Amino acid sequence: MKKKYSNIIIVAVFIIGLSLLLYPTIANKWNTYRQSKLISNYDAKVEELKKAGKIDYEKEWKNARDYNSALVPMILPDSFAIADAKEEKDRFYESCLNITGDGIMGMVEIPKIDVELPIYHYTTEEVLKNAAGHLEGSSLPVGGKSTHSVISAHRGLPSAILFTDLDKMKKGDHFMIYVLDDILCYEVDRISIVKPEDTSDLNVEKGKDLMTLL
């Protein structure tokens, strides 16, 4: 009887150990599937709205560019605190690039590391568990001179790859932003490792069209 119990315990420990070992792989595959599902659902909704004539792209572009033009240049040093502590939502910000009403403003694709993620408004923990978020206070990701958009995602989560492999990017690599009815392509020209409170690399540079993956 003792030997029988001993065998049961050994088997149970083996199963638990195997489950812990496989969890990151299974969880990541599930999250990758979920992300692709979010993207395909978003594309389907957009197509449906386009066919119904309910998307005014000209107006959407204008709203996004008006938002960028109205940004206070020095808002970024406090933007992380704002994202964490702000209770009152910016309704105009939420309405920009939100054509399907679910908070998705577009997608980021990084071919070098085989990543494609939906981009949501805000960088709340709920958003960053499963996708990329746009850092409120930075320019909306629609390009244009004197803009600097910041797209953030987690690294090192056991349940999802997200930006885990971002350190494999090199100068000269490219990534794409899919927004409204356009695709913006950016080339990596700078890679920085900074302290959390140092946001100087995220400032707008006059005349430049910048995008930071954070």
Side-chain angles (χ1 to χ4, degrees):
M1 184 67 73
K2 269 189 178 181
K3 189 174 180 183
K4 185 178 178 182
Y5 282 131
S6 175
N7 288 340
I8 290 171
I9 291 170
I10 290 169
V11 170
V13 169
F14 174 76
I15 291 170
I16 292 169
L18 186 63
S19 300
L20 291 173
L21 191 66
L22 293 177
Y23 170 74
T25 302
I26 294 170
N28 181 61
K29 284 188 180 299
W30 166 249
N31 273 287
T32 301
Y33 167 77
R34 188 172 178 274
Q35 289 150 10
S36 66
K37 195 72 175 171
L38 284 171
I39 291 170
S40 62
N41 287 344
Y42 173 79
D43 288 341
K45 285 182 188 175
V46 170
E47 195 58 37
E48 190 178 316
L49 290 169
K50 276 170 64 178
K51 286 180 179 177
K54 293 182 178 180
I55 302 178
D56 185 344
Y57 280 118
E58 190 175 331
K59 181 182 176 184
E60 294 293 338
W61 282 107
K62 183 180 184 304
N63 286 345
R65 286 168 178 151
D66 286 349
Y67 176 88
N68 286 346
S69 297
L71 281 177
V72 180
M74 295 305 293
I75 197 171
L76 274 173
D78 297 316
S79 58
F80 293 99
I82 290 170
D84 287 338
K86 191 174 176 183
E87 291 182 9
E88 187 178 336
K89 301 293 186 182
D90 184 334
R91 298 304 173 195
F92 182 58
Y93 166 70
E94 289 184 343
S95 70
C96 290
L97 307 183
N98 193 11
I99 54 179
T100 58
D102 55 7
I104 295 179
M105 60 170 61
M107 287 164 285
V108 55
E109 181 183 5
I110 315 173
K112 173 75 174 282
I113 56 175
D114 193 26
V115 162
E116 188 174 359
L117 297 171
I119 303 169
Y120 282 84
H121 293 69
Y122 301 113
T123 51
T124 62
E125 192 56 36
E126 191 60 34
V127 165
L128 296 183
K129 279 192 300 187
N130 302 300
H134 168 260
L135 183 62
E136 186 188 6
S138 72
S139 308
L140 290 169
V142 292
K145 290 182 179 180
S146 302
T147 61
H148 193 158
S149 182
V150 182
I151 306 301
S152 181
H154 277 317
R155 296 185 70 227
L157 289 184
S159 59
I161 290 178
L162 301 173
F163 278 3
T164 294
D165 294 329
L166 200 61
D167 59 341
K168 294 179 181 176
M169 297 286 284
K170 305 292 181 187
K171 288 183 181 180
D173 288 338
H174 295 83
F175 62 92
M176 281 73 76
I177 301 294
Y178 296 78
V179 58
L180 298 177
D181 56 346
D182 204 0
I183 303 171
L184 310 179
C185 183
Y186 288 87
E187 181 175 287
V188 178
D189 68 346
R190 188 188 315 165
I191 299 171
S192 304
I193 299 174
V194 298
K195 292 182 178 179
E197 66 273 12
D198 180 7
T199 59
S200 58
D201 281 350
L202 306 181
N203 291 338
V204 170
E205 296 182 32
K206 190 173 181 181
K208 292 188 177 182
D209 177 349
L210 302 173
M211 177 82 61
T212 290
L213 303 181
L214 178 68

